[in-house]
Amino acid sequence: MIANYVEALTKAAPPRVVALSSMGANRTSGHGVITALSLLEQGFRDLISPIAFMRAGGFFENILFGLQVAQGGTLPVFYNPTNRKSTMVATNDIGAEVATRLTGPAWSGQRSVEIGSMVTADEVAEQLGEVLKFDVKAFAIPRAGWAEALEQFGIPQGHTGPAEEMYDAVNAGWMDLGVEGTEHVAGTTSARDVFEAARNAARRKSGTDQA
């Protein structure tokens, strides 16, 4: 698939290219599902078009399940310890930055841009609680229970390894901000904003369905 992208972009030679990547894509191994984006960055290195690799942090949207499961006051997470900061971001912020790079001032060569802010799972749980109107505490899922938990999220049995390896890399600090040679764009949308927007959308949909 990457080879197809490279062939198409080489033929078209657009004035600029923005590739959605991930924190940790600067590494070449040991990061599970991020491996695909590491390979994408490597494959795009020889393009003649100016290119920006947008290395996003973990998506707040991936924690929207908390609106349902945290009703008992606990938000299960793969972040361990829950008070350690890691890079997170809202997808709206990613989209806005991509649009800015595509329509803003031109550049030459290649650049890598880190998108997100350092946030703890405890802070995310607290903001979820503010939306739900009761206290929510983050709970680090024990490492031995990751496979089962990921299967509950829909990953087929026996195929959870890459996701487990990714979260191991996150907890080891591989996804933190400050990789040498990168630019940084802080997130402006909080986890609270994401939870609130999703809850309001669900309420509107429920009202429409009832009507």
Side-chain angles (χ1 to χ4, degrees):
M1 185 169 65
I2 294 170
N4 288 338
Y5 282 144
V6 171
E7 180 181 1
L9 290 168
T10 299
K11 289 179 178 179
R16 65 183 82 179
V17 174
V18 178
L20 178 57
S21 187
S22 170
M23 300 295 295
N26 56 297
R27 291 179 175 259
T28 57
S29 64
H31 45 27
V33 295
I34 306 302
T35 301
L37 295 173
S38 177
L39 292 172
L40 179 72
E41 288 200 15
Q42 293 174 51
F44 280 14
R45 291 296 181 189
D46 294 329
L47 291 177
I48 60 173
S49 299
I51 182 166
F53 297 109
M54 313 304 287
R55 293 179 180 166
F59 299 167
F60 288 135
E61 284 79 1
N62 286 342
I63 313 178
L64 284 176
F65 65 87
L67 290 170
Q68 283 75 44
V69 304
Q71 296 299 322
T74 300
L75 175 66
V77 295
F78 297 100
Y79 299 95
N80 191 8
T82 59
N83 64 353
R84 184 192 179 283
K85 291 182 180 291
S86 59
T87 315
M88 299 188 195
V89 67
T91 56
N92 276 352
D93 287 347
I94 299 172
E97 187 60 26
V98 168
T100 296
R101 301 287 169 161
L102 287 173
T103 61
W107 71 91
S108 61
Q110 299 176 1
R111 56 205 303 189
S112 297
V113 184
E114 298 177 341
I115 309 177
S117 301
M118 297 294 284
V119 183
T120 70
D122 287 337
E123 291 169 339
V124 171
E126 181 181 358
Q127 293 180 42
L128 174 60
E130 291 171 2
V131 173
L132 295 176
K133 308 301 184 186
F134 54 78
D135 288 340
V136 175
K137 300 295 184 183
F139 167 73
I141 301 170
R143 181 64 179 85
W146 281 12
E148 181 180 356
L150 289 165
E151 288 169 13
Q152 292 177 354
F153 281 115
I155 298 178
Q157 185 175 9
H159 295 273
T160 61
E164 293 181 60
E165 190 173 44
M166 178 189 69
Y167 281 111
D168 277 332
V170 170
N171 292 333
W174 286 16
M175 308 296 186
D176 290 355
L177 297 173
V179 174
E180 185 177 356
T182 60
E183 306 168 40
H184 175 228
V185 175
T188 59
T189 304
S190 68
R192 182 192 302 102
D193 296 333
V194 172
F195 291 133
E196 190 71 56
R199 195 177 197 203
N200 289 340
R203 285 173 171 171
R204 287 194 298 270
K205 184 178 187 303
S206 177
T208 301
D209 291 344
Q210 291 175 3

